[in-house]
Amino acid sequence: MQLQAISPSRLPEALAERVASSRAEDGSPWLRVVLDGAPAALPGELARDVAEALRVRGRPTRVVAAHDFLRAASLRFEYGREDPDAYYDRWLDTGALWREVFAPLDPGGSGQVLPDLWDPVRDRATRSPREALPPGGVLLLHGALLLGRWFPVDLAVHLSLSSGALARRTPPAERWTLPAFARYREEIGPGETADVVVRMDDPRRPAWNG
């Protein structure tokens, strides 16, 4: 894959331009974009910057964090608090994301997106109200291990880290998750699956295939 250097300040603008030029393949009036990356790649920060660049272009945007759609602690920690296979397979409530985030943006949907569902710190429902995304708007879902789950995504962006960079930039208390990301690379191949790949080994010198 040929990657080109891009400045950190230019990256959100370039991604916003790519999003603005994309279309929903199923005829939905909304565009559904995933920014997939390990926490060390800071997908949430990039999602917020891209959202701001889209709003400047007149595109209403909703940013949703996958981390706000985790399962209850009793399910996440059934096999212990540091089980990488459970982190990979069981932590994310994919059914809730389908139901509460993606289904309202299907053709003929209501456009009423639930911004979050579960507070993993308090381990209870957030009870947030739904938020309207007008036709022509963009959903930006960010988080880890999001590809290969058959979400109806119109544009998938993967923030790539080499194994060494991921290990260096992951806090010691979270390094037990590293086998999950190794499994993700082997089973899903996000660098080949995504429409856009951004190499983030050095956040001061990103590169992308856009």
Side-chain angles (χ1 to χ4, degrees):
M1 179 186 302
Q2 188 73 25
L3 298 178
Q4 298 179 338
I6 186 170
S7 70
S9 60
R10 171 63 181 152
L11 178 59
E13 295 288 337
L15 284 172
E17 290 169 5
R18 177 66 185 270
V19 170
S21 66
S22 299
R23 296 292 181 269
E25 294 184 1
D26 61 1
S28 170
W30 300 279
L31 194 70
R32 298 146 296 191
V33 180
V34 162
L35 274 73
D36 168 71
L42 304 177
E45 291 187 9
L46 184 57
R48 287 189 290 272
D49 291 343
V50 173
E52 181 57 30
L54 284 168
R55 290 181 185 119
V56 170
R57 289 167 169 77
R59 295 293 294 270
T61 306
R62 287 284 177 268
V63 177
V64 174
H67 187 264
D68 291 330
F69 285 82
L70 298 183
R71 290 190 170 98
S74 60
L75 298 174
R76 299 199 313 275
F77 303 145
E78 183 177 358
Y79 300 100
R81 290 181 173 270
E82 297 185 355
D83 185 294
D85 287 326
Y87 178 73
Y88 186 95
D89 291 318
R90 299 174 62 86
W91 277 40
L92 185 65
D93 192 339
T94 55
L97 278 170
W98 271 95
R99 182 178 65 252
E100 308 293 353
V101 177
F102 286 106
L105 303 182
D106 285 341
S110 66
Q112 299 285 331
V113 173
L114 193 67
D116 49 62
L117 178 68
W118 197 259
D119 183 336
V121 176
R122 295 186 174 127
D123 198 35
R124 65 186 186 190
T126 57
R127 304 186 185 280
S128 297
R130 295 182 179 275
E131 298 178 352
L133 184 60
V138 179
L139 166 73
L140 290 176
L141 173 67
H142 65 85
L145 309 173
L146 294 178
L147 303 184
R149 299 184 183 271
W150 302 102
F151 291 140
V153 175
D154 302 306
L155 184 70
V157 180
H158 174 62
L159 307 185
S160 172
L161 290 171
S162 67
S163 298
L166 177 61
R168 288 192 304 272
R169 293 175 56 189
T170 298
E174 299 174 10
R175 286 180 185 159
W176 62 269
T177 64
L178 295 179
F181 291 103
R183 179 182 166 191
Y184 186 54
R185 285 192 297 271
E186 180 178 349
E187 294 186 1
I188 303 302
E192 292 75 43
T193 302
D195 301 297
V196 178
V197 176
V198 183
R199 177 63 63 83
M200 298 291 285
D201 283 5
D202 183 346
R204 299 167 300 179
R205 299 179 179 84
W208 77 320
N209 67 340

